[in-house]
Amino acid sequence: MSKQTPHQTIVSLPIRKLYAHPDNANRMSKVKFKKLTAHIDETGQYEPLVVRRHPTKDNAYQILNGHHRMRALKQLSHATADCVIFNADDKQARLYLLNLNRLCGRDNVYKKAKLIERLCRAYSPRELSKLLADSKTAVEKLNALSQNQPLPKSVNPKASLLPMT
């Protein structure tokens, strides 16, 4: 791959012209998918899908990143999806499939806890857990951590707190 100057434009493509890549290995739990769908439904906002021109179908595109967002958009009866088109051959497409969903950072737990604390001023832990990928227990733990308070009695102290993005 040669180095290119980044130039990416978001385009709106008809969902009927977008196809999942058959080699996509990324999976999402039903709970997280439900939260993703609710987020898109409530806000109308989502990260654009990454696609390439379909290698065998004319006037069609293949999804490299955003398979779950696409499923959510279909479920919500959207006709189009915001996309960024990558110029990728089969080899590059497979590399993107393995990398794009996994190249993510890790949360700084203390900064995340501070964000949770601020959000808990507007939402209960139960409400917040419906809006985030985190469980109610994780929200309570992070809120307590931020406030430097002992964990709520309803929280199992042995349950692990797994930071997620």
Side-chain angles (χ1 to χ4, degrees):
M1 287 186 263
S2 64
K3 243 185 179 178
Q4 298 178 3
T5 303
H7 176 73
Q8 299 172 346
T9 304
I10 297 172
V11 295
S12 186
L13 296 173
I15 285 181
R16 61 182 164 68
K17 294 186 177 191
L18 300 175
Y19 295 86
H21 194 291
D23 293 339
N24 178 42
N26 190 310
R27 299 294 175 257
M28 180 181 279
S29 73
K30 289 179 183 180
V31 171
K32 286 187 181 179
F33 179 74
K34 187 177 178 181
K35 288 183 180 190
L36 171 66
T37 303
H39 168 78
I40 293 172
D41 190 35
E42 291 171 21
T43 68
Q45 296 186 14
Y46 56 93
E47 184 178 350
L49 285 63
V50 177
V51 301
R52 70 170 180 155
R53 295 204 184 280
H54 200 287
T56 60
K57 298 179 192 265
D58 290 335
N59 202 22
Y61 299 86
Q62 194 171 59
I63 302 168
L64 302 177
N65 182 271
H67 294 80
H68 304 300
R69 293 187 298 277
M70 167 54 84
R71 280 185 38 227
L73 291 167
K74 278 184 180 179
Q75 186 172 308
L76 294 168
S77 302
H78 285 235
T80 61
D82 290 344
C83 301
V84 174
I85 302 170
F86 278 18
N87 183 16
D89 61 21
D90 288 342
K91 182 175 79 173
Q92 290 169 321
R94 288 184 180 103
L95 287 171
Y96 290 141
L97 285 170
L98 288 173
N99 277 323
L100 291 177
N101 284 304
R102 284 148 198 91
L103 292 176
C104 58
R106 296 184 71 181
D107 287 334
N108 174 309
V109 176
Y110 297 101
K111 286 189 175 189
K112 182 174 182 176
K114 198 48 112 173
L115 282 169
I116 294 287
E117 177 191 2
R118 289 179 181 139
L119 285 167
C120 280
R121 294 176 193 154
Y123 301 96
S124 72
R126 180 178 300 282
E127 292 170 323
L128 201 50
S129 70
K130 291 178 182 176
L131 300 172
L132 303 175
D134 299 291
S135 69
K136 178 179 168 277
T137 300
V139 169
E140 289 172 338
K141 282 184 175 184
L142 287 162
N143 190 34
L145 174 67
S146 177
Q147 296 177 17
N148 201 18
Q149 297 175 358
L151 294 175
K153 290 182 182 185
S154 65
V155 176
N156 177 358
K158 293 184 180 178
S160 63
L161 179 61
L162 184 63
M164 299 180 353
T165 58

